[in-house]
């Protein structure tokens, strides 16, 4: 597979891999297959374990609220000690792309979608990190497909169930803001510029299941990070 999301395990003894795209065999005309499985590799035992897999491509269940993340590539996966993960964004390309702006928490052997009143523009190839002091997640950059945009704003996601216990982790205050401890679950703009429009590529259909190439667009003066 390629373009899978990966994160070191919170216990430091392995790592997790989610999704990505599996290409067809060389010479085959079969389209690439987006994946929605979550794996854990135990570095001590040198063994892979399959944790979740719906196999339906668009999440478990067919109702308005899916029970697991849809198959996707170019997503972000971030560990949240002691034993949870946050999955954000990505794109489903088969070909033709659907970008995602949803956030999911994996804990206790299952997925839960993070419910927020609003959220940043859907995107893929973004960066997401976690502040170990506050437990907040920070989203920066990425690209949107339909509309074609690059992003250079900084957004913060608060998930109360993933906040650290006092003294559980070393202090790290970069990008922390006063009042985070009492903030409700949801997104908040932190800083940086807004999205930058990019011209549509010559072909709107991505090749080999990957999002289409786009010309680089520099951020407005003074808004880069």
């Amino acid at each position: 597979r390629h373009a899978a999301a990966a994160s070191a395990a919170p216990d430091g003894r392995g790592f997790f891999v989610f999704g990505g795209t599996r290409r067809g065999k060389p010479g085959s005309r079969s389209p690439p297959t987006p994946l929605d499985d979550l794996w854990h590799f135990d570095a001590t035992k040198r063994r892979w374990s399959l944790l979740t897999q719906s196999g339906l491509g668009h999440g478990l269940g067919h109702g308005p609220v899916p029970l697991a993340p849809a198959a996707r590539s170019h997503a972000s996966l971030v560990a949240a000690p002691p034993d949870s993960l946050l999955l954000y964004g990505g794109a489903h390309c088969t070909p033709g792309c659907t970008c995602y702006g949803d956030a999911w928490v994996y804990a206790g052997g299952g997925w839960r979608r993070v419910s927020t009143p609003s959220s940043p523009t859907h995107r893929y190839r973004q960066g997401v990190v976690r502040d170990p002091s506050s437990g907040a997640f920070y989203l920066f950059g990425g690209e949107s497909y339909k509309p074609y945009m690059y992003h250079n704003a900084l957004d913060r996601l608060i998930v109360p169930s993933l906040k650290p216990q006092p003294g559980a982790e070393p202090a790290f205050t970069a990008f922390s803001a006063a009042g985070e401890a009492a903030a409700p679950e949801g997104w908040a703009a932190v800083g940086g510029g807004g999205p930058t429009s990019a011209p549509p590529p010559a072909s709107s259909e991505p090749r080999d299941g990957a999002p289409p190439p786009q010309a680089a667009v520099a951020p407005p003066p003074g808004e880069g990070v």
Side-chain angles (χ1 to χ4, degrees), residues 80-109:
D83 55 6
S84 301
L85 298 167
L86 179 88
L87 177 75
Y88 172 79
H92 182 287
C93 302
T94 57
C97 280
T98 298
C99 280
Y100 293 104
D102 50 351
W104 292 80
V105 170
Y106 176 80

Side-chain angles (χ1 to χ4, degrees), residues 95-125:
C97 280
T98 298
C99 280
Y100 293 104
D102 50 351
W104 292 80
V105 170
Y106 176 80
W111 290 102
R112 175 183 74 85
R113 185 168 182 172
V114 178
S115 178
T116 60
S118 61
S119 62
T121 304
H122 56 264
R123 65 193 68 186
Y124 59 96
R125 295 174 177 166

Side-chain angles (χ1 to χ4, degrees), residues 52-213:
T52 66
Q53 179 182 36
S54 73
L56 299 178
H58 291 282
L60 290 167
H62 300 283
V65 181
L67 302 180
R72 65 191 69 192
S73 303
H74 303 286
S76 297
L77 190 67
V78 184
D83 55 6
S84 301
L85 298 167
L86 179 88
L87 177 75
Y88 172 79
H92 182 287
C93 302
T94 57
C97 280
T98 298
C99 280
Y100 293 104
D102 50 351
W104 292 80
V105 170
Y106 176 80
W111 290 102
R112 175 183 74 85
R113 185 168 182 172
V114 178
S115 178
T116 60
S118 61
S119 62
T121 304
H122 56 264
R123 65 193 68 186
Y124 59 96
R125 295 174 177 166
Q126 65 284 326
V128 178
V129 297
R130 177 177 178 270
D131 178 351
S133 175
S134 67
F137 297 88
Y138 290 88
L139 164 68
F140 178 78
E143 303 176 39
S144 295
Y145 184 75
K146 295 182 180 179
Y148 302 96
M149 290 183 177
Y150 292 102
H151 300 274
N152 64 351
L154 182 64
D155 293 279
R156 182 184 69 229
L157 174 63
I158 298 293
V159 183
S161 63
L162 300 185
K163 282 183 171 291
Q165 296 298 318
E169 297 178 89
F172 177 73
T173 58
F175 298 116
S176 293
E180 279 189 352
E185 182 166 280
W187 288 97
V190 178
T196 302
S197 298
S203 172
S204 61
E205 295 299 325
R207 295 171 293 178
D208 296 328

